[in-house]
Amino acid sequence: MLSKRDVLLGGAALVTLAACGGPPADLQHVASGAQAPAFSVTDATGAVRTLAEFAGQNVILEWTNEGCPYVRKHYETGNMQAVQREAAQRGWTWLQVISSAPGQQGHLDGPGALARVQADQATVTATLLDGDGVMGRAYGALSTPQMVMINGEGQIIYQGAIDDRASARPETLEGATNYVRAAWADLDAGRPVQIAQTTPYGCSVKYAA
């Protein structure tokens, strides 16, 4: 169930999107608990990556934009990398997704994306280059950063914000509830993910007009 805070954040996000022309008309909405949409996207090394190749594995999708101050907050403080390292220790696959269109903030080609991963010292399985926005639209990606957790059965078990602090200020990380870690805590306890969906915050995904 979404909290009052989530509703307020959602309203703020929609206002921001409206100011930027609003989300694409063909943006899909996938419910938590539903099967994750299939995708076939070229990664930064030139390899075609599909959801099917990760069948039976736990997967995290992270929508990112190197020019977004909300994304930079999590990378320049090392917060995102810490979660990525924990994911790797837990055996989760981590896929970054860049849905910024060519010419838009955050768009990167393969070498650029690899250089960004190296500069951030990120621990990711691959960076998917979704410049046409097909994957982003299929998952209803609105913001960067935005997280989706998929279990080994291919079901979405969490989607939304990385935490409950909708701010680009680094000091807001102290005391924040990280929703990815909260989901892991639930799984470790043998119960369903208690917070399965939140409203993402950050920069709007820079889809092609």
Side-chain angles (χ1 to χ4, degrees):
M1 177 179 294
L2 297 180
S3 67
K4 182 178 179 181
R5 178 182 174 83
D6 291 332
V7 172
L8 291 173
L9 292 178
L14 289 175
V15 168
T16 301
L17 286 168
C20 296
D26 56 350
L27 197 73
Q28 303 298 303
H29 299 281
V30 184
S32 293
Q35 289 296 122
F39 60 77
S40 178
V41 182
T42 301
D43 73 12
T45 71
V48 175
R49 314 306 293 262
T50 67
L51 181 60
E53 78 176 276
F54 302 109
Q57 301 179 34
N58 295 311
V59 176
I60 290 178
L61 306 178
E62 172 212 347
W63 265 265
T64 191
N65 170 352
E66 68 163 359
C68 171
Y70 294 86
V71 171
R72 297 318 309 160
K73 175 186 80 170
H74 290 285
Y75 275 101
E76 291 174 4
T77 58
N79 183 61
M80 189 69 79
Q81 296 94 322
V83 182
Q84 292 169 345
R85 288 193 297 271
E86 185 171 348
Q89 291 166 358
R90 289 173 172 272
W92 285 63
T93 294
W94 190 293
L95 302 175
Q96 286 184 321
V97 186
I98 299 175
S99 293
S100 296
Q104 297 291 325
Q105 181 197 58
H107 177 79
L108 293 172
D109 59 13
L114 292 173
R116 184 74 261 168
V117 168
Q118 184 173 26
D120 285 337
Q121 297 184 313
T123 303
V124 301
T125 306
T127 301
L128 308 185
L129 305 181
D130 179 44
D132 59 11
V134 171
M135 181 178 176
R137 287 177 168 85
Y139 279 81
L142 287 170
S143 304
T144 54
Q146 184 165 330
M147 316 303 292
V148 176
M149 300 175 73
I150 303 170
N151 68 14
E153 288 72 50
Q155 298 170 321
I156 294 176
I157 59 172
Y158 172 74
Q159 58 181 327
I162 185 171
D163 63 24
D164 63 347
R165 301 296 171 90
S167 171
R169 293 183 293 118
E171 58 268 29
T172 60
L173 287 170
E174 184 175 355
T177 296
N178 185 292
Y179 292 123
V180 173
R181 289 195 170 109
W184 283 332
D186 289 330
L187 297 174
D188 290 346
R191 61 183 177 241
V193 174
Q194 302 297 293
I195 302 175
Q197 186 168 350
T198 62
T199 301
Y201 68 84
C203 305
S204 61
V205 175
K206 304 301 186 287
Y207 292 111

